[in-house]
Amino acid sequence: MNLLPKSSKEFGSVDYWEKFFQQRGKKAFEWYGTYLQLCGVLHKYIKPREKVLVIGCGNSELSEQLYDVGYRDIVNIDISEVVIKQMRERNASRRPQMSFLKMDMTQMEFPDASFQVVLDKGTLDAVLTDEEEKTLQQVDRMLAEVGRVLQVGGRYLCVSLAQAHILKKAVGHFSREGWMVRVHEVANSQDRVLEAEPQFSLPVFAFIMTKFRPVPGSALQIFELCTQEQGKPVRLESAERLAEAVRERQQYAWLCSQLRRKAGLGSVSLDLCDGDTGEPRYTLHVVDSPTVKPSRDNHFAIFIIPQGRETEWLFGMEEGRKQLAASAGFRRLITVALHRGQQYEGMDTIQAELSARVMELAPAGMPAQQQVPFLSVGGDIGVRTVQHQDCSPMSGDYVIEDVQGDDKRFFRRLIFLSNRNVVQSEARLLKDVSHRAQKKRKKDRKKQRPADTPEDLPAAPGQSIDKSYLCCEHHKAMIAGLALLRNPELLLETPLALLVVGLGGGSLPLFVHDHFPKSCVDAVEIDPSMLEVATQWFGFSQSDRMKVHIADGLDYISNLAGRGEVRPHYDVIMFDVDSKDPTLGMSCPPPAFVDQPFLQKVKSILTPEGVFILNLVCRDLGLKDAVLARLKAVFPLLYVRRIEDEVNEILFCQLQPEQKLAMPELLEMAQALERTLKKPGRGWDDTYVLSDMLKTVKIV
């Protein structure tokens, strides 16, 4: 028997409700939850001795159950004569003080200020089926009558799904009247509301509108939200922010319901925020592995990503997380990233915080009382110390942070907060600094200080940087590209002119400057804040062989190209510059840097046997093909080197096709350059093999 309406408009029909209750008979219909599910909210906002009016009572047992626990002064009204007759018969002897009246709530017959509470369980939702003028007028009459029959200090308690148009109408009406507006989420309601009807997989809310005495000239408006996790309400600044907060709760409930019903929803991620501050505390990614064969113990697991490692491919990229989930062997794996700026006492505390929330994301079919394992790397939460935080007028908010790597060595990173999972620049700290930091942390643990505090590592100056080590794989590949120059074994004694566009932390130009003693480097950086960051935190310094020019790289190169015969020529030009526009399919370099007219200007300042090296990060395959075609039109010889487990591709561009090298020759030249760089007395990272950087190079 179909007892729910075919369309929401039928909710407002008297004929529908007469037919509904005739079909249903005397069996109670609990719209939006039973008494047990709602009693926490009801007891919080209704006192036993208060006079209560229930509008649109239907044949719900809610009034009866309130009566039975001590709420005796209850009046029930409904527009359906059938249901009022049923309820009178059902309660005449057992609940003699409770009354049931057939009455239209838009034209109530009670005197003004007759009640201290008006209770509405789904009635506003049933009436406000659309936003047509006739419907809105009916709702205005209903809400005006609610306000008329309530005493000052009285409350309109409306149980609702809080759909956008309903929330907007209720909040707007009562806030204009000067009432206090509170929205209270009913605990765990999304698990219980009309489970057979997927379109209602929304949480239930209670609107608590408190009538204040009108104050002439007062514009005070009070908006509050009380979520099921918080005992106390949170004050919000506007009706719009209240609606946004409710919508977030609804989206989360919808997501949970979808994850319970089926696996393989695609990329699903969400933030869990600190209830007091609203700041993100955890970022969760839900990864399903449909190929994993189900067993009793492999339904579900949580993986805590150590602090500072969320930028790694395995944790920071969707493909990496899929690989992690498959290797872990669970049907569903949730990865959890810990946010900088938050303090975490340890794995046990994190597990306690997350246990209840992550269970809402468990897959269908998981046995009740199943223990969910919490996994991590090495069993700890890692170390992250924010050394400095600031805002660049050009690049936005950024942080300098020190993190501990796999080998217990510490690394310094520059992160733009507009793209938190991308390391903008990185450098390794010297071992003695890392060792002192570890000893200090052990000492501090005895004092029971949280791990993520600024005192864990000293605010080390730039001199603590290991300048012989390149952290970024794409930087290593760009340096290996110098092997394309003639006579690489002589490069240390050859005057080299290099132009590097994009400074960041300065690691790339600094490495060239320190390892090629006859080189002269011009570095171009558009953001003056980055020069300060590189100098103060990454050990960068200018010299007579290295100059930084604060300018737009486009303008700088255009000006050089415009000098005609007196323009300088560079043996090597490197582009490692990111785009500030995240909506583009190419994040490095900005598209204007690979426009063909501009590439002609780059060509004009490159020596005939020189090499133009470009870091390309482009997820749009069509756009990437177009970029390669433009480069090929200007630079006939083009090599491509894909960085493993990253989106980066390094392009090596030369002007003379006859310079083309077969793979054995290319590797031999890289080995010759490496032998030269590794001569005794020179600092060199033994894990950096130049020829390995060029093994996978392909010619376009």
Side-chain angles (χ1 to χ4, degrees), residues 591-607:
F593 280 80
V594 286
D595 280 345
Q596 199 156 325
F598 182 72
L599 292 174
Q600 291 289 352
K601 296 176 183 178
V602 175
K603 173 184 175 181
S604 74
I605 61 171
L606 185 69
T607 59

Side-chain angles (χ1 to χ4, degrees), residues 176-222:
R176 283 192 300 272
E177 295 292 321
W179 294 31
M180 187 181 86
V181 174
R182 178 180 294 176
V183 178
H184 192 123
E185 185 179 6
V186 177
N188 299 320
S189 55
Q190 62 265 35
D191 293 333
R192 301 168 180 140
V193 178
L194 297 174
E195 291 176 348
E197 299 294 323
Q199 67 268 33
F200 287 100
S201 57
L202 293 169
V204 170
F205 293 88
F207 306 157
I208 298 93
M209 313 295 191
T210 303
K211 183 176 181 178
F212 284 1
R213 192 180 304 280
V215 178
S218 173
L220 178 66
Q221 293 184 318
I222 300 175

Side-chain angles (χ1 to χ4, degrees), residues 267 310-321 418-424 578-579 581-591 594 615-628 642-649:
S267 180
E310 66 280 349
T311 58
E312 295 178 17
W313 178 82
L314 191 65
F315 308 125
M317 301 295 289
E318 184 177 355
E319 288 303 313
R321 289 189 292 269
S418 59
N419 200 354
R420 296 169 181 269
N421 281 345
V422 174
V423 176
Q424 197 69 25
D578 69 312
S579 170
D581 186 350
T583 63
L584 302 173
M586 183 167 65
S587 58
C588 183
V594 286
N615 178 22
L616 177 68
V617 180
C618 186
R619 290 175 170 80
D620 184 325
L621 295 180
L623 180 56
K624 183 168 74 173
D625 288 343
V627 169
L628 293 176
R642 175 77 187 271
I643 304 298
E644 187 178 356
D645 293 340
E646 294 184 22
V647 188
N648 303 62
E649 292 177 284

Side-chain angles (χ1 to χ4, degrees), residues 404-465:
Q404 191 176 43
D406 262 345
D407 57 358
K408 302 301 181 183
R409 294 290 295 269
F410 282 85
F411 296 83
R412 178 157 297 163
R413 291 174 175 173
L414 166 65
I415 306 280
F416 290 152
L417 296 185
S418 59
N419 200 354
R420 296 169 181 269
N421 281 345
V422 174
V423 176
Q424 197 69 25
S425 295
E426 185 173 24
R428 188 169 71 179
L429 298 182
L430 292 169
K431 264 186 177 178
D432 61 333
V433 174
S434 302
H435 180 66
R436 290 198 305 270
Q438 284 178 307
K439 288 175 68 177
K440 189 173 192 303
R441 269 197 317 282
K442 288 177 182 176
K443 182 179 178 182
D444 289 339
R445 283 197 194 105
K446 294 177 182 177
K447 300 178 184 178
Q448 296 186 331
R449 273 197 319 103
D452 188 11
T453 59
E455 293 79 19
D456 274 341
L457 283 173
Q463 286 85 340
S464 63
I465 299 298

Side-chain angles (χ1 to χ4, degrees), residues 7 43 172 204-205 207 293 433 437 486 494 507 610 645 700:
S7 74
H43 293 179
V204 170
F205 293 88
F207 306 157
K293 187 177 180 181
V433 174
R486 281 191 173 182
T494 305
S507 300
D645 293 340
V700 177

Side-chain angles (χ1 to χ4, degrees), residues 11 17 31-32 54-58 77-78 105 119-128 139 142 156 158-160:
F11 285 167
W17 291 110
W31 195 246
Y32 299 172
V54 180
I55 57 175
C57 64
I77 66 170
D78 198 282
M105 61 193 169
L119 178 58
D120 167 353
K121 185 183 168 197
T123 303
L124 178 61
D125 287 17
V127 175
L128 187 47
V139 172
M142 168 190 164
Y156 172 46
C158 173
V159 181
S160 168

Side-chain angles (χ1 to χ4, degrees), residues 242-532:
L242 177 62
E244 181 184 343
V246 169
R247 185 165 59 250
E248 289 168 357
R249 306 300 301 181
Q250 292 168 329
Q251 289 170 347
Y252 177 73
W254 179 87
L255 174 63
C256 291
S257 70
Q258 294 301 303
L259 289 171
R260 280 195 300 274
R261 289 191 178 101
K262 56 188 176 183
L265 290 179
S267 180
V268 175
S269 64
L270 65 149
D271 285 340
L272 297 182
C273 299
D274 185 303
D276 295 325
T277 66
E279 292 295 318
R281 183 160 172 79
Y282 302 101
T283 293
L284 278 56
H285 286 87
V286 182
V287 188
D288 286 328
S289 298
T291 58
V292 172
K293 187 177 180 181
S295 70
R296 186 183 183 281
D297 299 321
N298 75 342
H299 289 275
F300 189 37
I302 315 301
F303 190 98
I304 308 298
I305 302 169
Q307 294 179 94
R309 299 191 61 182
E310 66 280 349
T311 58
E312 295 178 17
W313 178 82
L314 191 65
F315 308 125
M317 301 295 289
E318 184 177 355
E319 288 303 313
R321 289 189 292 269
K322 286 181 179 178
Q323 180 176 310
L324 175 67
S327 62
F330 289 88
R331 288 174 52 215
R332 174 168 293 166
L333 184 74
I334 293 182
T335 65
V336 180
L338 314 181
H339 276 249
R340 59 181 58 84
Q342 297 284 319
Q343 293 191 9
Y344 306 93
E345 293 182 9
M347 187 66 78
D348 290 344
T349 304
I350 291 171
Q351 184 170 342
E353 287 184 22
L354 288 173
S355 290
R357 178 59 73 217
V358 295
M359 287 308 297
E360 297 171 347
L361 306 174
M366 194 175 85
Q369 309 303 318
Q370 175 83 53
Q371 287 290 321
V372 177
F374 277 70
L375 314 174
S376 188
V377 178
D380 63 32
I381 64 172
V383 177
R384 185 212 321 268
T385 303
V386 175
Q387 296 285 13
H388 180 67
Q389 186 160 355
D390 210 337
C391 181
S392 159
M394 186 165 290
S395 303
D397 292 328
Y398 66 88
V399 296
I400 310 296
E401 62 184 25
D402 291 347
V403 300
Q404 191 176 43
D406 262 345
D407 57 358
K408 302 301 181 183
R409 294 290 295 269
F410 282 85
F411 296 83
R412 178 157 297 163
R413 291 174 175 173
L414 166 65
I415 306 280
F416 290 152
L417 296 185
S418 59
N419 200 354
R420 296 169 181 269
N421 281 345
V422 174
V423 176
Q424 197 69 25
S425 295
E426 185 173 24
R428 188 169 71 179
L429 298 182
L430 292 169
K431 264 186 177 178
D432 61 333
V433 174
S434 302
H435 180 66
R436 290 198 305 270
Q438 284 178 307
K439 288 175 68 177
K440 189 173 192 303
R441 269 197 317 282
K442 288 177 182 176
K443 182 179 178 182
D444 289 339
R445 283 197 194 105
K446 294 177 182 177
K447 300 178 184 178
Q448 296 186 331
R449 273 197 319 103
D452 188 11
T453 59
E455 293 79 19
D456 274 341
L457 283 173
Q463 286 85 340
S464 63
I465 299 298
D466 183 351
K467 299 176 186 178
S468 71
Y469 186 83
L470 283 174
C471 293
C472 301
E473 290 297 305
H474 70 277
H475 281 174
K476 292 180 180 179
M478 294 175 84
I479 294 296
L482 299 183
L484 291 167
L485 297 171
R486 281 191 173 182
N487 303 316
E489 68 279 1
L490 302 178
L491 284 183
L492 270 64
E493 305 303 323
T494 305
L496 284 177
L498 294 96
L499 174 64
V500 180
V501 181
L503 179 67
S507 300
L508 181 61
L510 190 64
F511 188 92
V512 173
H513 173 273
D514 289 355
H515 287 81
F516 296 85
K518 299 289 186 179
S519 64
C520 289
V521 183
D522 285 322
V524 181
E525 172 58 51
I526 195 172
D527 187 350
S529 300
M530 291 304 103
L531 177 56
E532 295 177 21

